[in-house]
Amino acid sequence: MTNDKPQPGTLYVVGTPIGNLEDITFRAVRILQTVDLIAAEDTRHTGKLLQHFQVKTPQISYHEHNRNSRIPEILEHLNHGKAIALVSDAGMPGISDPGYELIKACIDAGIKVVPIPGASAAITALSAAGLPTDKFAFEGFLPPKAQQRREYLETLQTESRTLIFYESPHRLTDTLQDLAAAFGDERQIVLARELTKLYEEFWRGTIADAIAHYQQREPQGEYTLLVAGTPATQPLLTETQLKAELQQLIRQGISRSQASRQLAKFTSLSRREVYQLALSIEESNE
């Protein structure tokens, strides 16, 4: 008795240009031409790319707002032997976009997933930033709400690797202020925008300089921010030293909150943990 069940198809994770259309690879164009279907974050945006390279493969939308209904539909196509290419608006799918859920669903279903590498804003910016590249941490988009963003940045205060963030233009100035509060305004930062496009720009300097720069100039376009890590030679205070320093600052009339913020940069603890320590010191003196 023969088994007529079709062999599962393949999901191709295809990198597309982040700016300059020449960033696409020959392999990516071939895959887009030969698959049965293209799952695109924005079919209109991807349609322009396909038209430029004379690709006539039909598209289906797959994005943040329809992923729950689309994933079963795409899996059904794949289980019937179809080959599907997953693309985002720019760069590699799955990096700060909903592609991850589809990729994971395919892996869980035993469907083959093949990466077709291409440009990525994070790596492109890092390669030309002039900050250490031997170790880095990609953090993607920070929380949009100010309090959550500040609290998250506090957890990165002792991170020695180069940090990479994505940020929108309307939140850039607020994020720069929060970076200064978390890392100090003299920390080195690189802001990259319009990568691989005609008006590609890299701005380099301290966080304080960046704040001043964007007070005079309105942010435009999506930004990739690269922040130097905490210097490895920076001495860290032990808990005993930290308590002594906190006690001295509090006696000088500095508030517990200010003292905690000031000293958090010199310890492996977060500002919140230092603040709790300051509270206990205050209570023990009452």
Side-chain angles (χ1 to χ4, degrees):
M1 182 175 179
T2 60
N3 185 359
D4 294 331
K5 185 178 179 181
Q7 290 297 312
T10 300
L11 179 74
Y12 294 94
V13 182
V14 183
T16 55
I18 59 175
N20 192 316
L21 292 180
E22 294 178 3
D23 290 338
I24 201 165
T25 67
F26 292 118
R27 187 184 181 200
V29 173
R30 177 176 60 80
I31 292 295
L32 293 175
Q33 288 173 334
T34 57
V35 293
D36 298 295
L37 194 63
I38 296 171
E41 187 175 1
D42 184 335
T43 55
R44 290 172 298 180
H45 180 89
T46 300
K48 296 175 183 177
L49 176 71
L50 300 182
Q51 184 178 14
H52 181 83
F53 290 103
Q54 300 180 348
V55 175
K56 302 186 184 302
T57 307
Q59 296 186 76
I60 185 174
S61 66
Y62 173 79
H63 49 72
E64 182 73 28
H65 305 294
N66 73 356
R67 59 184 175 178
N68 291 333
S69 61
R70 279 293 197 231
I71 287 177
E73 183 179 347
I74 293 172
L75 287 176
E76 183 72 13
H77 284 300
L78 289 163
N79 281 321
H80 281 81
K82 300 292 187 182
I84 297 179
L86 172 65
V87 301
S88 65
D89 285 350
M92 286 300 295
I95 308 300
S96 291
D97 78 8
Y100 162 76
E101 284 85 353
L102 175 58
I103 294 165
K104 182 67 166 58
C106 288
I107 293 169
D108 291 343
I111 293 167
K112 187 176 182 180
V113 177
V114 176
I116 310 298
S120 167
I123 300 302
T124 301
L126 179 66
S127 69
L131 294 177
T133 58
D134 54 336
K135 294 179 181 179
F136 59 90
F138 174 67
E139 295 290 336
F141 286 97
L142 287 164
K145 294 185 178 179
Q147 184 62 31
Q148 293 175 349
R149 185 168 61 245
R150 291 165 190 157
E151 289 175 356
Y152 186 75
L153 286 172
E154 286 173 11
T155 68
L156 300 174
Q157 285 177 332
T158 58
E159 178 58 70
S160 61
R161 294 173 293 180
T162 298
L163 296 168
I164 307 174
F165 305 98
Y166 288 158
E167 193 53 277
S168 61
H170 68 274
R171 278 201 300 266
L172 180 66
T173 53
D174 289 339
T175 294
L176 289 174
Q177 294 286 352
D178 293 337
L179 288 170
F183 304 134
D185 56 13
E186 291 304 306
R187 184 76 66 89
Q188 290 294 309
I189 187 171
V190 178
L191 294 90
R193 58 182 290 273
E194 298 291 291
L195 289 170
T196 80
K197 297 180 183 178
L198 181 62
Y199 298 106
E200 176 179 275
E201 178 184 32
F202 281 84
W203 187 97
R204 301 172 176 88
T206 65
I207 296 176
D209 292 336
I211 292 170
H213 178 75
Y214 284 100
Q215 285 174 344
Q216 305 298 323
R217 175 179 177 177
E218 183 180 356
Q220 294 181 330
E222 298 295 321
Y223 285 81
T224 301
L225 309 181
L226 304 103
V227 182
T230 300
T233 56
Q234 178 172 303
L236 296 180
L237 295 175
T238 65
E239 188 169 318
T240 301
Q241 292 171 323
L242 185 59
K243 285 181 179 179
E245 291 288 339
L246 282 168
Q247 204 162 26
Q248 185 175 353
L249 290 172
I250 291 169
R251 284 172 179 167
Q252 292 173 2
I254 296 175
S255 71
R256 287 168 290 182
S257 178
Q258 289 175 319
S260 301
R261 185 180 297 278
Q262 183 176 327
L263 292 178
K265 300 179 182 116
F266 303 101
T267 178
S268 59
L269 302 176
S270 69
R271 184 182 67 83
R272 177 174 289 187
E273 290 171 320
V274 177
Y275 182 69
Q276 290 300 319
L277 196 59
L279 283 175
S280 69
I281 290 173
E282 190 74 7
E283 290 167 358
S284 66
N285 289 340
E286 291 177 355

